[in-house]
Amino acid sequence: QVQLAESGGGLVQAGGSLRLSCAASGRTFSGYTMGWFRQAPGQEREFVAAISWNGGRTYYADSVKGRFTISRDNAKNTVYLQMNSVKPDDTAVYYCAADLSPNLRVVQYWGQGTQVTVSS
């Protein structure tokens, strides 16, 4: 089992920045592909970003490419999502995900989520 705990969510103005963190505990963190997903009210959960086990590969949804950056620190068992130039459309609950499948669509472990609200 892997336990994931997100932090760093909150209220931010459009154009501002926010950094989300996800601390993992339990089984070996460094071997997993990690990711972030988000879910806005009334919408399905969607992929945001992912990072390979050693940080060598990163993947982004088109909607956040160039604005968000995913990174990880395996020594700290933590994955981050740096969010820059945020927009009201980025408002959602953001979920940390661990052990993603190669196609990034199947997730074994989820965090409880952290709310991000972007005001216009």
Side-chain angles (χ1 to χ4, degrees):
Q1 281 285 356
V2 173
Q3 291 78 44
L4 303 173
E6 302 97 334
S7 61
L11 176 64
V12 60
Q13 287 189 334
S17 298
L18 206 61
R19 189 174 84 154
L20 306 183
S21 299
C22 173
S25 60
R27 298 189 66 182
T28 304
F29 167 85
S30 60
Y32 292 142
T33 295
M34 301 292 295
W36 290 93
F37 289 70
R38 67 186 182 186
Q39 187 168 18
Q43 298 187 19
E44 294 186 354
R45 193 171 298 189
E46 64 176 4
F47 169 80
V48 175
I51 187 167
S52 62
W53 68 275
N54 63 354
R57 296 180 183 176
T58 56
Y59 311 88
Y60 296 96
D62 288 342
S63 58
V64 306
K65 202 171 294 183
R67 300 187 298 120
F68 291 8
T69 301
I70 188 171
S71 61
R72 67 191 294 164
D73 185 339
N74 286 345
K76 296 182 178 179
N77 284 1
T78 302
V79 63
Y80 305 96
L81 185 68
Q82 178 67 42
M83 306 168 61
N84 296 332
S85 302
V86 295
K87 306 174 182 179
D89 286 348
D90 295 322
T91 296
V93 177
Y94 283 71
Y95 295 92
C96 181
D99 196 10
L100 277 65
S101 63
N103 65 5
L104 309 180
R105 295 186 177 185
V106 179
V107 174
Q108 293 298 322
Y109 305 102
W110 292 101
Q112 82 287 353
T114 185
Q115 176 71 46
V116 172
T117 302
V118 182
S119 63
S120 56

